[in-house]
Amino acid sequence: MSKQINPNAILEDKRFKIDLDFYQKLTQTNVIVDYEIRNIKLKDIKRSWKNKILNLEETHPYLYLKGQIEQYEQYCVENAKLSNFEMNREKFDNLIQDIKNNSHNKLYMPIVNSKNNIILDGQHRCCILYHLYGGNYTLQCLFITISPKKYHYTLLQRIFSVRNSYGGQHKLVTILGIKLKFRRK
């Protein structure tokens, strides 16, 4: 059985700052099992978009930096509907200028899923750095191990139960909320 960290540990860690809106959305449906700070090359970070796994240079924010403005604007509208994350050209242009003028604030580390290197927060910052410095640029990221709450609760806390029913013994197995019933003979 995997352990769960103290829910406030990640918020209290002074080595980085985490966006509270992102944290609240993430923890509504997931449990943070563990986290660590590691270095990664930008070319090794992936993005999940519409059931596809993309390299950063294939994402809309990166393509915007290469001049694909209309596609990025459409992406912003669609992404807001899918994830409630509001981004637009003006915000992105401001972020681009901030990073160019002041460099990347290392306290705001991108957050990456430790199981598959998929970026969860910080895609735009990573795309800017990729555009400026290339795919071999290495930066520190916050790698988190997450488990969906339903999966975590169902499989890790209540996997099996045995009940008597009408004098016969039945084994109930609950997997992701679906109860499977097996009768012993």
Side-chain angles (χ1 to χ4, degrees):
M1 184 153 134
S2 64
K3 65 179 178 113
Q4 179 180 339
I5 64 166
N6 172 351
N8 294 324
I10 199 165
L11 294 175
E12 295 168 354
D13 197 316
K14 300 295 182 208
R15 296 176 295 167
F16 52 83
K17 292 184 180 181
I18 192 165
D19 179 88
L20 290 177
D21 288 336
F22 165 79
Y23 178 80
Q24 289 172 343
K25 287 177 187 174
L26 178 72
T27 56
Q28 283 176 352
T29 56
N30 295 285
V31 173
I32 299 174
V33 179
D34 200 9
Y35 71 94
E36 67 177 318
I37 296 172
R38 288 191 305 203
N39 291 329
I40 187 171
K41 290 184 178 185
L42 289 169
K43 68 181 181 181
D44 296 329
I45 297 174
K46 307 295 181 205
R47 163 74 159 117
S48 177
W49 176 250
K50 293 184 166 182
N51 297 320
K52 292 181 186 174
I53 305 299
L54 306 171
N55 295 318
L56 284 177
E57 72 271 13
E58 299 172 306
T59 65
H60 289 91
Y62 185 82
L63 296 173
Y64 172 79
L65 294 163
K66 295 292 191 182
Q68 294 186 17
I69 296 168
E70 289 180 28
Q71 294 90 333
Y72 178 74
E73 288 175 335
Q74 291 170 354
Y75 161 79
C76 288
V77 170
E78 198 168 351
N79 192 45
K81 290 177 186 174
L82 294 173
S83 68
N84 286 332
F85 177 73
E86 299 280 336
M87 191 58 154
N88 57 48
R89 280 181 57 193
E90 184 180 348
K91 283 184 182 179
F92 194 24
D93 287 341
N94 289 337
L95 181 61
I96 294 165
Q97 285 310 308
D98 185 48
I99 289 175
K100 282 182 177 179
N101 296 337
N102 305 312
S103 86
H104 172 61
N105 185 338
K106 293 180 178 22
L107 283 177
Y108 290 98
M109 293 179 191
I111 300 174
V112 178
N113 186 327
S114 63
K115 292 181 183 176
N116 52 21
N117 289 349
I118 291 178
I119 194 154
L120 301 173
D121 188 39
Q123 172 192 205
H124 286 76
R125 287 172 276 155
C126 285
C127 286
I128 295 166
L129 295 171
Y130 198 114
H131 181 70
L132 293 173
Y133 306 115
N136 284 322
Y137 183 79
T138 301
L139 80 152
Q140 283 190 329
C141 291
L142 178 62
F143 283 80
I144 62 173
T145 304
I146 55 176
S147 177
K149 278 187 176 177
K150 189 171 187 179
Y151 174 83
H152 185 80
Y153 180 78
T154 303
L155 289 181
L156 299 179
Q157 294 178 4
R158 301 181 46 217
I159 294 179
F160 299 104
S161 66
V162 178
R163 295 192 180 157
N164 287 325
S165 174
Y166 301 108
Q169 198 174 38
H170 291 79
K171 190 173 195 175
L172 295 177
V173 181
T174 305
I175 300 175
L176 297 177
I178 301 169
K179 291 187 177 183
L180 305 173
K181 195 175 200 181
F182 301 95
R183 182 170 174 88
R184 288 173 127 188
K185 294 189 176 194

